Amino acid sequence: MPRKKTCFVVSPIGEPATKTREQSDRVLKDIVRKALGRLGYLVQRADEIAEPGVITQQIVDRVMKADLVVADLSSRNPNVFYELAIRHATNRPCILMIKRRQKIPFDVRSLRVIQYELADPESLKKARVELKKQALSAGKVGTPLSFAIDVEAFRDSRDATMRMLAEIYATVADTRRILEREEARLRREARLWWKQKAEEEERRGWQRRYEK
C-alpha cells in the first residue's frame, strides 16, 4: 500500500474550552481536513501527536518532514512563526492562512495567504477550494528565508555571473523592502489625515449647533 501523504497543521491551539481552541478546531475540521482529506493527506496537529517522547522535538520533526505544512497566522502566535521559520528553511511546500480582516504580517506579505471567516459558509468554501488548489500545485517554494540562502550561495559561487546575479537579487529585495515600508508609512499618514479631518468636521458641527 502506498504511503499516505502527510500534512502538519501549525496554528494557535490554546487550552481546551477556550475561544482559541474552538477556532483552531473549526479551521482544522471545516477547512483543512475537508479540503486535504479528499486529496489523500493524513492531516495532523501538534496536540494530536500520541507518540511517547519530547513533544517539541516531535513537532519540529513533523514541521521539517511533512509533505505539506499549513500554517494559520491568525492572532500572530509566536510559536506559529517559529515553526513557520523552520519550515521555510527546508524550502518545502507550505500554505499560509489567516482569519479575514486580520493584518498579514510584513515579512510574509509577499506570499499567497488564504483568508477565511468561520461565520461565513461561502468564505469557508472558497478557503477549501483555494487550499486544495495550492496543495495540488505544491512544489519547491520561494520564501524570504530560502531567497536569502540562495543569494548567499550565489555570492560564494566561483562563477562571476552568479555573483552578479546575487547582487542584483539583493538590490531588488532591498528596493522592495523600502517600497513596502514607504507604502506602510503613507497608509499610516492617510489614516491619521482622515481621522484629523473627521475630528475637525465634528468640532465644526458642534460649533454650528452652539452658535444657533
Side-chain angles (χ1 to χ4, degrees):
M1 180 181 293
R3 181 185 71 87
K4 259 199 166 188
K5 293 177 291 185
T6 57
C7 170
F8 191 66
V9 178
V10 174
S11 69
I13 297 176
E15 297 297 325
T18 61
K19 188 175 181 180
T20 300
R21 175 64 67 88
E22 179 185 350
Q23 175 175 310
S24 183
D25 286 349
R26 287 210 54 201
V27 169
L28 182 67
K29 175 187 173 186
D30 295 339
I31 301 178
V32 184
R33 283 207 163 109
K34 280 190 177 180
L36 300 184
R38 295 167 185 170
L39 299 181
Y41 278 93
L42 177 63
V43 179
Q44 187 180 47
R45 196 175 61 188
D47 59 312
E48 298 174 338
I49 298 174
E51 303 167 9
V54 181
I55 184 64
T56 51
Q57 183 179 337
Q58 293 170 338
I59 291 172
V60 170
D61 184 68
R62 282 163 173 76
V63 167
M64 294 180 68
K65 296 179 181 178
D67 296 300
L68 176 67
V69 163
V70 173
D72 187 349
L73 309 180
S74 303
S75 304
R76 299 197 176 198
N77 183 282
N79 290 335
V80 169
F81 283 90
Y82 172 72
E83 291 158 23
L84 177 61
I86 294 173
R87 182 64 176 189
H88 276 179
T90 69
N91 211 17
R92 301 186 70 191
C94 182
I95 299 174
L96 306 181
M97 303 177 66
I98 195 168
K99 191 174 182 182
R100 197 164 62 192
R101 288 187 290 274
Q102 288 197 9
K103 188 175 180 181
I104 298 173
F106 175 80
D107 289 338
V108 294
R109 199 175 298 161
S110 62
L111 304 177
R112 294 169 66 187
V113 182
I114 299 171
Q115 298 190 39
Y116 65 85
E117 177 54 63
L118 294 174
D120 181 359
E122 188 62 28
S123 172
L124 293 177
K125 181 181 177 180
K126 287 181 180 179
R128 288 193 294 268
V129 169
E130 182 60 25
L131 179 57
K132 185 177 178 180
K133 180 181 174 182
Q134 290 195 31
L136 286 170
S137 62
K140 183 179 178 181
V141 294
T143 68
L145 182 56
S146 65
F147 178 81
I149 292 171
D150 289 343
V151 168
E152 286 304 311
F154 284 3
R155 279 177 174 156
D156 293 337
S157 173
R158 294 181 179 180
D159 189 326
T161 302
M162 299 298 281
R163 292 197 300 272
M164 184 173 66
L165 281 174
E167 294 308 316
I168 294 172
Y169 289 161
T171 301
V172 170
D174 289 342
T175 302
R176 187 178 134 242
R177 282 193 291 269
I178 291 169
L179 290 174
E180 287 179 338
R181 284 197 296 267
E182 185 64 14
E183 180 188 12
R185 182 186 68 79
L186 291 173
R187 287 180 183 276
R188 287 194 301 270
E189 289 182 358
R191 284 195 297 268
L192 179 60
W193 186 86
W194 281 109
K195 181 181 178 182
Q196 291 173 341
K197 186 175 178 61
E199 291 173 349
E200 183 180 344
E201 288 296 324
E202 186 177 1
R203 281 196 300 269
R204 287 178 180 174
W206 278 107
Q207 285 176 350
R208 286 193 291 268
R209 285 193 288 270
Y210 178 76
E211 288 169 357
K212 289 179 182 180

